[in-house]
Amino acid sequence: MSLEIESIGCYSANSIEIFNEFENFHAYYSQMPDNIKKKIGINDENYHKFFNIYRNSPTKSLFKKTDSADQYLIDFWVSTVSGKAKFLDGFLDKPYVGINRDFLRLLFDKFIKETNLIVIQNYLLEQGIYLIFETAKEGTKVDGVSLKVNEKPVVAMSLRLKNLDSFWFTLLHELSHIVLHFDELNEPIVDYFEESSDLDINKLEKQANKLAREIMIPNSIWRTIKTTRNLEDLASYSKLFKVHPSIIAGRLSFENNDWASYSKLRAEYKITYEF
């Protein structure tokens, strides 16, 4: 293990802190399974180059001893996101002006049919929110994260799930964390959305889920269409209530734990993003 630290005359407190961080990183790297090292592209010759990724972690508690191979990949994904956000903020330094539920509704209504995701990024940037699309290593079970960089909100999405309803639920869920839990984002909130119920998630996640779903389909409308079982009725309700068919199909799939019945419809609406 080696790390070059330049100082003039003597070691500074900062250089000692960096050295201690490097030792911690090296211990973390040493515990990493070989298959994860290969997937990340880190090895004994280049691991020191990944130190900056480690240092960009919003919280070193992410990098803790773990038996979960997936957690290593999530650590690096979140830290990569944080590093990009810090880089952007260094140039742009956009003030966060604050958002609320009405803003989420406006965003959703305005951009539900938008195919250029950069337009959504720019719209959020005007509010002082950095939206980052960052692919994760293959097999990494992560969809989104909400965090703060320099006291400004950052939302990142892996775009692991390509359906339009999944994209909007993930985005609105992460933005709901900003609306509801901004003061608690010193610790990143990392999200992985399984096709399952809400029974095993914590209070913050349930609150963000509830708000995101209410924005996508108001409860007054959902009470009418939640018993829909065929695509013809779904199409009728979509026109009547001006709710995108993919959004209804995704909600019905989740609520009824029936992904097969609406899979073809959901597959018609995909999001794409050129990295």
Side-chain angles (χ1 to χ4, degrees):
M1 179 182 73
S2 63
L3 174 65
E4 294 181 2
I5 300 176
E6 295 182 0
S7 68
I8 300 176
C10 64
Y11 286 109
S12 67
N14 186 55
S15 65
I16 294 173
E17 178 183 338
I18 292 174
F19 186 82
N20 289 335
E21 283 189 354
F22 187 79
E23 285 190 315
N24 292 334
F25 168 70
H26 183 265
Y28 177 83
Y29 162 75
S30 299
Q31 296 164 1
M32 190 181 296
D34 289 340
N35 64 318
I36 299 300
K37 291 179 182 177
K38 183 177 181 180
K39 186 170 286 191
I40 293 174
I42 186 173
N43 55 52
D44 289 346
E45 282 70 43
N46 70 7
Y47 72 89
H48 60 283
K49 296 180 181 179
F50 287 79
F51 181 48
N52 278 337
I53 295 178
Y54 172 81
R55 295 202 73 210
N56 278 322
S57 172
T59 167
K60 296 303 184 292
S61 66
L62 277 174
F63 289 82
K64 55 187 179 295
K65 185 175 181 179
T66 175
D67 295 325
S68 169
D70 194 58
Q71 189 60 47
Y72 284 101
L73 298 176
I74 292 173
D75 287 346
F76 276 91
W77 183 78
V78 173
S79 295
T80 299
V81 165
S82 180
K84 288 187 174 183
K86 289 176 182 178
F87 179 81
L88 287 173
D89 192 53
F91 282 97
L92 302 175
D93 193 21
K94 299 289 288 189
Y96 174 51
V97 299
I99 61 173
N100 55 26
R101 297 165 189 253
D102 291 338
F103 174 83
L104 297 187
R105 167 58 64 184
L106 178 63
L107 175 77
F108 181 65
D109 290 344
K110 186 179 181 69
F111 294 112
I112 179 60
K113 295 182 180 179
E114 179 60 61
T115 58
N116 184 355
L117 301 187
I118 294 176
V119 173
I120 300 175
Q121 282 182 311
N122 290 337
Y123 189 79
L124 289 173
L125 183 61
E126 291 306 308
Q127 309 302 313
I129 300 171
Y130 295 107
L131 172 60
I132 295 173
F133 300 117
E134 179 68 24
T135 53
K137 297 296 183 181
E138 184 178 356
T140 308
K141 295 179 179 179
V142 63
D143 293 308
V145 64
S146 306
L147 55 99
K148 287 195 289 190
V149 164
N150 300 329
E151 291 302 309
K152 299 168 187 177
V154 178
V155 165
M157 300 173 64
S158 71
L159 302 183
R160 181 177 69 94
L161 305 174
K162 305 298 184 185
N163 302 93
L164 186 67
D165 57 283
S166 299
F167 169 83
W168 275 103
F169 178 77
T170 302
L171 178 57
L172 289 171
H173 177 98
E174 302 307 337
L175 291 173
S176 292
H177 280 310
I178 294 174
V179 172
L180 300 171
H181 312 127
F182 183 76
D183 292 338
E184 301 176 63
L185 291 182
N186 292 322
E187 285 279 338
I189 300 179
V190 183
D191 291 304
Y192 163 50
F193 301 113
E194 296 184 87
E195 296 178 346
S196 61
S197 70
D198 288 347
L199 295 179
D200 297 326
I201 63 176
N202 63 36
K203 181 180 178 181
L204 299 188
E205 294 301 321
K206 289 180 180 179
Q207 290 173 342
N209 282 349
K210 182 179 179 181
L211 180 53
R213 289 174 186 146
E214 167 66 16
I215 295 299
M216 295 168 76
I217 307 178
N219 291 332
S220 58
I221 295 176
W222 178 244
R223 284 193 292 268
T224 301
I225 64 179
K226 65 181 180 180
T227 57
T228 304
R229 289 294 184 273
N230 64 72
L231 297 185
E232 289 184 4
D233 288 345
L234 187 156
S236 297
Y237 283 132
S238 176
K239 292 179 181 179
L240 176 63
F241 295 114
K242 296 181 174 59
V243 179
H244 196 287
S246 178
I247 301 301
I248 299 177
R251 179 76 177 270
L252 289 170
S253 297
F254 180 83
E255 296 286 339
N256 298 317
N257 193 26
D258 178 8
W259 299 90
S261 295
Y262 309 97
S263 60
K264 289 184 179 180
L265 177 61
R266 294 179 69 231
E268 290 180 14
Y269 301 100
K270 297 284 187 180
I271 56 95
T272 58
Y273 184 81
E274 296 296 332
F275 290 93

